[in-house]
Amino acid sequence: MTDDVELRRLATRRADMKLGFRSHLLAYAIVNAGLFLINFLTSPGHWWFYWPMMGWGIGLAAHAAVVYLDGEGARDRLIEAELEKLRQKR
């Protein structure tokens, strides 16, 4: 493969990862706003909405770390290492 084709493939994959995270973040914001509203309207003296928000927030933070903290680079290195192992077995 040429360098331009490989770079385009990598750029496309990274852009897809970022778009996936943005969709996840938007869903998180909408659902948790809805949970807050339900909590506020049904039992304003007993706040429970933050429990699912915190649990889901941990997953969202992990998703952000993979996308923005060189998770892609680590994945690429693992793929290359596996490819090399498979080539040596042949």
XYZ file of all heavy atoms in Angstrom:
732
model
N 0.832 -1.179 0.000
C 0.000 0.000 0.000
C 0.883 1.251 0.000
O 1.928 1.286 0.630
C -0.867 -0.005 1.267
C -2.331 0.028 0.999
S -3.295 0.210 2.494
C -3.727 -1.469 2.816
N 0.428 2.263 -0.651
C 1.192 3.502 -0.655
C 0.985 4.233 0.657
O 0.035 3.977 1.391
C 0.760 4.408 -1.832
O -0.587 4.816 -1.614
C 0.875 3.679 -3.158
N 1.892 5.148 0.918
C 1.799 5.911 2.170
C 0.512 6.729 2.248
O -0.094 6.828 3.307
C 3.006 6.833 2.317
C 4.260 6.071 2.695
O 4.131 4.936 3.200
O 5.364 6.600 2.495
N 0.102 7.339 1.126
C -1.120 8.148 1.135
C -2.358 7.312 1.438
O -3.239 7.732 2.186
C -1.298 8.867 -0.205
C -0.360 10.050 -0.367
O 0.214 10.494 0.651
O -0.211 10.520 -1.504
N -2.420 6.118 0.879
C -3.567 5.240 1.128
C -3.582 4.817 2.593
O -4.630 4.820 3.245
C -3.523 4.015 0.192
C -4.592 3.004 0.575
C -3.676 4.443 -1.257
N -2.425 4.463 3.115
C -2.327 4.059 4.519
C -2.686 5.222 5.453
O -3.402 5.042 6.450
C -0.915 3.551 4.821
C -0.725 3.069 6.239
C -1.567 1.857 6.589
O -1.978 1.119 5.682
O -1.823 1.664 7.790
N -2.201 6.412 5.151
C -2.521 7.584 5.976
C -4.008 7.907 5.920
O -4.611 8.257 6.939
C -1.695 8.791 5.538
C -0.222 8.758 5.920
C 0.514 9.949 5.317
C -0.043 8.742 7.429
N -4.606 7.781 4.754
C -6.042 8.036 4.627
C -6.835 7.006 5.445
O -7.789 7.348 6.132
C -6.486 7.996 3.174
C -7.990 8.206 3.025
C -8.409 8.343 1.596
N -8.427 9.695 1.100
C -9.247 10.658 1.515
N -10.079 10.434 2.496
N -9.214 11.850 0.984
N -6.430 5.752 5.393
C -7.101 4.707 6.172
C -7.005 5.012 7.667
O -7.985 4.934 8.405
C -6.474 3.346 5.872
C -7.168 2.193 6.581
C -6.393 0.894 6.459
N -5.083 0.964 7.087
C -4.850 0.885 8.398
N -5.852 0.745 9.235
N -3.628 0.959 8.882
N -5.816 5.395 8.112
C -5.608 5.720 9.523
C -6.407 6.955 9.924
O -7.048 6.978 10.976
C -4.115 5.948 9.787
C -3.710 6.260 11.216
C -4.103 5.129 12.154
C -2.208 6.509 11.281
N -6.404 7.981 9.073
C -7.158 9.204 9.370
C -8.657 8.912 9.436
O -9.363 9.435 10.307
C -6.866 10.265 8.318
N -9.136 8.063 8.536
C -10.553 7.700 8.538
C -10.917 6.966 9.814
O -11.944 7.239 10.441
C -10.878 6.817 7.310
O -10.573 7.560 6.127
C -12.335 6.399 7.297
N -10.079 6.025 10.228
C -10.348 5.273 11.460
C -10.344 6.200 12.673
O -11.206 6.107 13.546
C -9.322 4.160 11.629
C -9.725 3.171 12.705
C -8.914 1.917 12.685
N -7.587 2.205 13.203
C -6.487 1.556 12.844
N -6.547 0.601 11.954
N -5.329 1.853 13.379
N -9.395 7.118 12.725
C -9.338 8.050 13.867
C -10.534 8.985 13.876
O -11.107 9.279 14.933
C -8.039 8.836 13.845
C -6.855 7.993 14.233
C -5.592 8.791 14.278
N -4.474 7.936 14.680
C -3.250 8.352 14.801
N -2.942 9.611 14.554
N -2.299 7.526 15.182
N -10.940 9.460 12.698
C -12.118 10.331 12.621
C -13.362 9.568 13.065
O -14.208 10.110 13.792
C -12.292 10.855 11.196
N -13.482 8.292 12.655
C -14.622 7.478 13.084
C -14.637 7.297 14.597
O -15.697 7.326 15.227
C -14.595 6.111 12.404
C -14.944 6.175 10.923
O -15.514 7.201 10.487
O -14.641 5.197 10.208
N -13.466 7.105 15.191
C -13.391 6.966 16.647
C -13.851 8.245 17.341
O -14.582 8.200 18.335
C -11.968 6.618 17.076
C -11.546 5.204 16.728
S -9.830 4.862 17.155
C -9.897 4.942 18.946
N -13.421 9.389 16.830
C -13.813 10.668 17.437
C -15.307 10.916 17.276
O -15.964 11.392 18.208
C -12.990 11.806 16.847
C -11.550 11.763 17.313
C -10.716 12.856 16.698
C -9.267 12.728 17.187
N -8.402 13.739 16.586
N -15.854 10.589 16.103
C -17.292 10.748 15.904
C -18.079 9.801 16.810
O -19.132 10.177 17.341
C -17.657 10.512 14.441
C -17.223 11.608 13.472
C -17.445 11.161 12.034
C -17.949 12.907 13.763
N -17.566 8.599 17.005
C -18.206 7.655 17.913
C -18.231 8.178 19.340
O -19.238 8.063 20.046
N -17.124 8.791 19.763
C -17.089 9.360 21.110
C -18.068 10.519 21.238
O -18.773 10.639 22.248
C -15.678 9.833 21.481
C -15.666 10.561 22.789
C -15.816 9.870 23.979
C -15.552 11.936 22.825
C -15.843 10.540 25.190
C -15.576 12.614 24.034
C -15.719 11.916 25.218
N -18.136 11.360 20.219
C -19.064 12.498 20.279
C -20.508 12.020 20.371
O -21.319 12.603 21.095
C -18.872 13.404 19.073
C -17.575 14.172 19.132
C -17.364 15.016 17.907
N -16.031 15.599 17.914
C -15.481 16.185 16.884
N -16.140 16.287 15.747
N -14.263 16.683 16.969
N -20.846 10.955 19.646
C -22.196 10.385 19.733
C -22.457 9.851 21.134
O -23.550 10.036 21.691
C -22.357 9.250 18.719
O -22.262 9.739 17.416
N -21.463 9.186 21.710
C -21.572 8.657 23.071
C -21.786 9.804 24.069
O -22.646 9.720 24.954
C -20.299 7.879 23.399
C -20.343 7.116 24.671
N -19.277 6.378 25.108
C -21.283 6.965 25.635
C -19.573 5.814 26.261
N -20.786 6.156 26.604
N -21.027 10.875 23.918
C -21.149 12.038 24.798
C -22.522 12.685 24.683
O -23.138 13.050 25.689
C -20.048 13.051 24.471
C -20.005 14.316 25.307
C -19.774 13.983 26.782
C -18.904 15.249 24.787
N -23.029 12.807 23.463
C -24.350 13.401 23.255
C -25.438 12.537 23.899
O -26.334 13.051 24.578
C -24.629 13.582 21.762
C -25.966 14.222 21.401
C -26.055 15.638 21.975
C -26.144 14.240 19.894
N -25.360 11.225 23.708
C -26.337 10.325 24.334
C -26.268 10.440 25.855
O -27.302 10.478 26.533
C -26.079 8.884 23.899
N -25.057 10.511 26.400
C -24.853 10.663 27.839
C -25.544 11.936 28.347
O -26.267 11.912 29.349
C -23.352 10.715 28.125
C -22.978 10.987 29.557
C -22.970 9.973 30.505
C -22.597 12.264 29.966
C -22.608 10.222 31.816
C -22.234 12.522 31.270
C -22.241 11.505 32.196
O -21.885 11.753 33.487
N -25.334 13.040 27.648
C -25.917 14.312 28.073
C -27.441 14.282 28.002
O -28.121 14.709 28.944
C -25.361 15.449 27.211
N -27.984 13.759 26.919
C -29.443 13.742 26.750
C -30.115 12.816 27.763
O -31.083 13.193 28.426
C -29.812 13.340 25.306
C -29.402 14.460 24.332
C -31.300 13.036 25.179
C -29.485 14.071 22.870
N -29.595 11.604 27.891
C -30.207 10.642 28.816
C -30.106 11.131 30.256
O -31.077 11.068 31.012
C -29.565 9.246 28.661
C -29.990 8.310 29.783
C -29.920 8.647 27.303
N -28.940 11.657 30.635
C -28.789 12.098 32.022
C -29.589 13.361 32.315
O -30.072 13.533 33.443
C -27.313 12.251 32.379
C -26.697 10.899 32.632
O -27.081 10.189 33.546
N -25.762 10.519 31.784
N -29.792 14.219 31.331
C -30.684 15.363 31.520
C -32.111 14.861 31.737
O -32.841 15.388 32.593
C -30.621 16.294 30.311
N -32.496 13.844 30.989
C -33.822 13.250 31.173
C -33.972 12.606 32.544
O -35.015 12.756 33.196
N -32.948 11.897 32.979
C -33.000 11.289 34.317
C -33.091 12.359 35.406
O -33.830 12.202 36.382
C -31.776 10.398 34.554
C -31.725 9.098 33.756
C -30.402 8.386 34.009
C -32.902 8.203 34.095
N -32.352 13.439 35.224
C -32.438 14.539 36.196
C -33.855 15.103 36.230
O -34.419 15.329 37.308
C -31.446 15.646 35.850
C -31.662 16.882 36.672
C -31.223 16.940 37.988
C -32.341 17.979 36.161
C -31.442 18.069 38.780
C -32.563 19.103 36.925
C -32.113 19.152 38.237
N -34.428 15.311 35.063
C -35.782 15.863 34.992
C -36.790 14.919 35.648
O -37.652 15.359 36.421
C -36.168 16.124 33.529
C -37.475 16.853 33.289
C -37.442 18.238 33.934
C -37.727 16.970 31.799
N -36.682 13.633 35.363
C -37.575 12.649 35.992
C -37.407 12.680 37.512
O -38.386 12.694 38.259
C -37.302 11.236 35.438
C -37.765 11.142 33.987
C -37.992 10.174 36.297
C -37.296 9.893 33.269
N -36.158 12.706 37.958
C -35.876 12.745 39.398
C -36.455 14.016 40.023
O -37.109 13.977 41.068
C -34.385 12.663 39.620
C -33.975 12.490 41.077
O -32.810 12.328 41.354
N -34.885 12.507 42.024
N -36.252 15.137 39.374
C -36.726 16.425 39.881
C -38.250 16.460 39.976
O -38.813 16.966 40.956
C -36.227 17.557 38.986
C -36.679 18.913 39.430
C -36.116 19.514 40.545
C -37.664 19.587 38.734
C -36.535 20.776 40.964
C -38.092 20.846 39.132
C -37.525 21.436 40.257
N -38.914 15.905 38.974
C -40.376 15.953 38.942
C -41.037 14.920 39.852
O -42.155 15.140 40.323
C -40.876 15.759 37.502
C -40.513 16.882 36.530
C -40.932 16.513 35.122
C -41.131 18.206 36.964
N -40.391 13.796 40.091
C -41.037 12.734 40.863
C -40.612 12.669 42.327
O -41.417 12.302 43.180
C -40.796 11.353 40.211
O -39.397 11.091 40.182
C -41.380 11.304 38.810
N -39.357 12.984 42.604
C -38.904 12.910 43.999
C -37.762 13.894 44.231
O -36.616 13.499 44.414
C -38.455 11.486 44.342
O -37.464 11.047 43.445
N -38.102 15.191 44.255
C -37.054 16.217 44.372
C -36.286 16.181 45.691
O -35.176 16.675 45.761
C -37.808 17.538 44.217
C -39.233 17.216 44.525
C -39.430 15.778 44.164
N -36.825 15.575 46.726
C -36.125 15.511 48.004
C -35.129 14.363 48.084
O -34.288 14.307 48.978
N -35.224 13.432 47.152
C -34.356 12.252 47.156
C -33.626 12.182 45.808
O -34.193 11.775 44.802
C -35.196 10.986 47.379
C -34.397 9.732 47.311
N -33.463 9.396 48.261
C -34.385 8.738 46.400
C -32.916 8.246 47.922
N -33.461 7.827 46.790
N -32.381 12.602 45.790
C -31.617 12.663 44.534
C -30.938 11.327 44.251
O -30.098 10.872 45.010
C -30.576 13.776 44.597
C -31.204 15.119 44.746
C -31.184 15.905 45.844
C -31.988 15.803 43.773
N -31.912 17.051 45.630
C -32.417 17.007 44.346
C -32.391 15.518 42.473
C -33.202 17.936 43.675
C -33.175 16.439 41.794
C -33.571 17.622 42.395
N -31.331 10.714 43.156
C -30.744 9.446 42.746
C -30.134 9.521 41.355
O -29.384 8.631 40.963
C -31.774 8.326 42.767
C -33.026 8.658 41.984
C -34.199 9.099 42.508
C -33.219 8.590 40.566
N -35.116 9.324 41.506
C -34.534 9.021 40.293
C -32.421 8.227 39.483
C -35.061 9.085 39.000
C -32.942 8.292 38.198
C -34.244 8.707 37.968
N -30.442 10.555 40.573
C -30.029 10.624 39.165
C -28.517 10.556 38.989
O -28.023 10.107 37.951
C -30.559 11.900 38.496
C -29.780 13.131 38.858
C -28.736 13.570 38.054
C -30.079 13.847 40.007
C -28.017 14.698 38.391
C -29.362 14.971 40.351
C -28.319 15.395 39.547
N -27.776 10.991 39.999
C -26.328 11.045 39.838
C -25.671 9.664 39.883
O -24.552 9.502 39.411
C -25.685 11.974 40.869
C -25.980 11.653 42.306
C -25.221 10.724 42.994
C -27.024 12.274 42.976
C -25.483 10.421 44.314
C -27.297 11.978 44.295
C -26.526 11.048 44.957
O -26.785 10.746 46.257
N -26.344 8.630 40.415
C -25.755 7.292 40.447
C -25.568 6.715 39.047
O -24.456 6.287 38.704
C -26.565 6.354 41.337
C -26.457 6.712 42.785
C -27.430 7.237 43.572
C -25.286 6.608 43.608
N -26.943 7.471 44.834
C -25.624 7.090 44.887
C -23.989 6.175 43.387
C -24.720 7.127 45.935
C -23.077 6.200 44.432
C -23.452 6.679 45.685
N -26.612 6.682 38.215
C -26.366 6.198 36.852
C -25.443 7.137 36.070
O -24.640 6.689 35.242
C -27.758 6.128 36.223
C -28.667 6.884 37.115
C -28.034 6.931 38.465
N -25.519 8.433 36.374
C -24.658 9.391 35.698
C -23.182 9.108 36.001
O -22.333 9.135 35.110
C -25.019 10.818 36.128
C -24.276 11.895 35.378
S -24.886 13.542 35.773
C -24.020 13.841 37.285
N -22.889 8.797 37.262
C -21.496 8.503 37.629
C -21.032 7.180 37.020
O -19.913 7.082 36.511
C -21.339 8.465 39.152
C -21.422 9.831 39.780
S -21.025 9.919 41.545
C -21.730 8.471 42.231
N -21.881 6.161 37.058
C -21.502 4.877 36.477
C -21.226 4.979 34.994
O -20.202 4.493 34.489
N -22.137 5.623 34.284
C -21.966 5.801 32.848
C -20.791 6.731 32.574
O -20.060 6.559 31.603
C -23.250 6.353 32.256
C -23.339 6.373 30.761
C -22.355 6.083 29.849
C -24.487 6.713 30.006
N -22.829 6.221 28.581
C -24.151 6.612 28.648
C -25.770 7.112 30.335
C -25.051 6.887 27.627
C -26.663 7.387 29.320
C -26.307 7.263 27.985
N -20.582 7.695 33.454
C -19.460 8.635 33.294
C -18.111 7.935 33.323
O -17.174 8.331 32.617
N -17.994 6.874 34.116
C -16.750 6.104 34.145
C -16.505 5.475 32.771
O -15.395 5.524 32.237
C -16.805 5.030 35.251
C -16.783 5.698 36.617
C -15.647 4.044 35.110
C -17.109 4.765 37.771
N -17.544 4.907 32.183
C -17.417 4.339 30.842
C -17.106 5.402 29.805
O -16.295 5.184 28.893
N -17.721 6.556 29.932
C -17.468 7.658 29.011
C -16.027 8.141 29.127
O -15.368 8.420 28.122
C -18.442 8.807 29.285
C -18.418 9.973 28.309
C -18.868 9.527 26.933
C -19.310 11.093 28.820
N -15.517 8.219 30.354
C -14.120 8.631 30.559
C -13.161 7.608 29.940
O -12.147 7.991 29.329
C -13.834 8.796 32.046
N -13.483 6.327 30.072
C -12.648 5.296 29.458
C -12.671 5.422 27.939
O -11.630 5.295 27.275
C -13.114 3.910 29.882
N -13.840 5.695 27.383
C -13.963 5.882 25.940
C -13.130 7.085 25.495
O -12.406 7.021 24.491
C -15.437 6.070 25.577
C -15.733 6.006 24.118
N -17.012 6.000 23.631
C -14.935 5.944 23.030
C -16.983 5.940 22.312
N -15.731 5.919 21.920
N -13.196 8.171 26.246
C -12.407 9.361 25.913
C -10.915 9.065 25.970
O -10.147 9.517 25.112
C -12.751 10.504 26.876
N -10.498 8.300 26.965
C -9.081 7.964 27.097
C -8.598 7.165 25.896
O -7.514 7.420 25.362
C -8.843 7.177 28.389
N -9.397 6.212 25.440
C -9.007 5.405 24.281
C -8.900 6.275 23.031
O -7.971 6.139 22.238
C -10.017 4.255 24.057
C -9.819 3.602 22.707
C -9.891 3.226 25.162
N -9.830 7.199 22.877
C -9.858 8.024 21.668
C -8.792 9.115 21.691
O -8.109 9.338 20.696
C -11.259 8.647 21.478
C -11.264 9.650 20.335
C -12.286 7.559 21.224
N -8.624 9.771 22.827
C -7.781 10.965 22.852
C -6.432 10.801 23.541
O -5.590 11.678 23.434
C -8.543 12.120 23.505
C -9.711 12.568 22.658
C -11.012 12.246 23.009
C -9.504 13.303 21.502
C -12.086 12.646 22.228
C -10.568 13.709 20.717
C -11.847 13.376 21.081
O -12.903 13.763 20.302
N -6.198 9.700 24.243
C -4.920 9.522 24.932
C -4.091 8.416 24.297
O -3.621 7.507 24.953
C -5.146 9.231 26.422
C -5.827 10.321 27.217
C -6.030 9.880 28.659
C -5.023 11.614 27.163
N -3.950 8.464 23.004
C -3.118 7.548 22.226
C -3.589 6.108 22.293
O -2.793 5.187 22.167
C -1.646 7.651 22.632
C -0.729 7.072 21.561
O -1.079 7.155 20.380
O 0.319 6.526 21.926
N -4.870 5.892 22.495
C -5.388 4.540 22.434
C -5.221 3.946 21.052
O -4.965 2.764 20.890
N -5.352 4.775 20.050
C -5.180 4.321 18.671
C -3.751 3.876 18.418
O -3.510 2.870 17.771
C -5.561 5.448 17.702
C -5.491 5.062 16.244
C -6.599 4.106 15.838
O -7.568 3.958 16.583
O -6.473 3.496 14.770
N -2.786 4.613 18.948
C -1.384 4.234 18.770
C -1.079 2.901 19.431
O -0.370 2.062 18.869
N -1.631 2.681 20.610
C -1.428 1.415 21.310
C -2.055 0.277 20.514
O -1.462 -0.795 20.370
C -2.030 1.487 22.710
N -3.218 0.510 19.966
C -3.887 -0.508 19.154
C -3.055 -0.840 17.922
O -2.883 -2.014 17.581
C -5.267 -0.008 18.752
C -6.069 -0.991 17.931
C -7.496 -0.448 17.698
N -8.285 -1.387 16.967
C -8.447 -1.363 15.646
N -7.867 -0.436 14.922
N -9.191 -2.261 15.040
N -2.559 0.183 17.264
C -1.728 -0.044 16.077
C -0.474 -0.845 16.419
O -0.082 -1.738 15.662
C -1.330 1.289 15.432
C -2.486 1.952 14.701
O -3.469 1.254 14.374
O -2.399 3.167 14.453
N 0.143 -0.545 17.555
C 1.349 -1.289 17.955
C 1.028 -2.752 18.235
O 1.786 -3.653 17.859
C 1.993 -0.627 19.171
C 2.687 0.690 18.843
C 3.502 1.225 20.021
N 2.687 1.538 21.182
C 2.054 2.694 21.375
N 2.155 3.657 20.473
N 1.354 2.897 22.467
N -0.109 -3.005 18.874
C -0.519 -4.385 19.140
C -0.808 -5.137 17.841
O -0.445 -6.310 17.694
C -1.742 -4.418 20.051
C -1.490 -4.053 21.507
C -2.819 -3.904 22.244
C -0.631 -5.094 22.178
N -1.457 -4.475 16.908
C -1.744 -5.106 15.617
C -0.454 -5.460 14.904
O -0.294 -6.567 14.378
C -2.630 -4.189 14.743
C -4.036 -4.114 15.322
C -2.667 -4.686 13.293
C -4.912 -3.055 14.678
N 0.503 -4.526 14.883
C 1.787 -4.786 14.222
C 2.531 -5.943 14.891
O 3.124 -6.787 14.223
C 2.657 -3.534 14.216
C 2.183 -2.472 13.253
C 2.113 -2.964 11.814
O 3.028 -3.701 11.368
O 1.132 -2.622 11.138
N 2.487 -6.010 16.213
C 3.155 -7.088 16.936
C 2.516 -8.440 16.587
O 3.224 -9.431 16.357
C 3.089 -6.845 18.439
N 1.194 -8.475 16.515
C 0.495 -9.716 16.161
C 0.788 -10.121 14.721
O 0.986 -11.303 14.427
C -1.012 -9.577 16.387
C -1.409 -9.522 17.838
C -1.000 -10.771 18.617
O -1.113 -11.893 18.081
O -0.556 -10.621 19.764
N 0.815 -9.150 13.823
C 1.152 -9.446 12.433
C 2.553 -10.034 12.327
O 2.781 -11.000 11.581
C 1.041 -8.185 11.568
C -0.356 -7.773 11.148
C -0.330 -6.398 10.494
C -0.958 -8.794 10.209
N 3.478 -9.475 13.056
C 4.859 -9.965 13.027
C 4.931 -11.401 13.547
O 5.630 -12.248 12.976
C 5.769 -9.050 13.841
C 7.226 -9.373 13.732
C 7.744 -9.319 12.299
O 7.276 -8.482 11.510
O 8.614 -10.160 11.962
N 4.220 -11.699 14.620
C 4.179 -13.068 15.155
C 3.620 -14.041 14.121
O 4.146 -15.147 13.943
C 3.354 -13.134 16.429
C 4.002 -12.514 17.624
C 3.046 -12.582 18.834
C 3.579 -11.806 19.999
N 2.640 -11.805 21.125
N 2.536 -13.628 13.455
C 1.935 -14.495 12.440
C 2.873 -14.697 11.257
O 2.952 -15.808 10.706
C 0.607 -13.908 11.977
C -0.519 -13.931 13.009
C -1.715 -13.125 12.516
C -0.929 -15.353 13.319
N 3.583 -13.677 10.866
C 4.549 -13.804 9.758
C 5.684 -14.757 10.117
O 6.150 -15.507 9.276
C 5.102 -12.433 9.389
C 4.143 -11.550 8.666
C 4.771 -10.214 8.277
N 3.766 -9.335 7.721
C 3.495 -8.120 8.155
N 4.170 -7.615 9.182
N 2.566 -7.404 7.600
N 6.132 -14.709 11.344
C 7.236 -15.586 11.777
C 6.808 -17.048 11.846
O 7.634 -17.924 11.674
C 7.771 -15.128 13.125
C 8.535 -13.823 13.058
C 8.979 -13.334 14.420
O 8.713 -13.966 15.437
N 9.658 -12.196 14.440
N 5.538 -17.315 12.089
C 5.051 -18.695 12.159
C 4.972 -19.342 10.783
O 4.955 -20.548 10.681
C 3.670 -18.735 12.826
C 3.734 -18.517 14.312
C 2.360 -18.651 14.930
C 2.431 -18.434 16.422
N 1.122 -18.575 17.063
N 4.891 -18.539 9.748
C 4.778 -19.095 8.384
C 6.072 -19.610 7.891
O 7.115 -19.385 8.016
C 4.265 -18.026 7.432
C 2.792 -17.813 7.614
C 2.272 -16.911 6.553
N 0.824 -16.889 6.615
C 0.092 -16.238 5.763
N 0.629 -15.577 4.792
N -1.196 -16.270 5.870
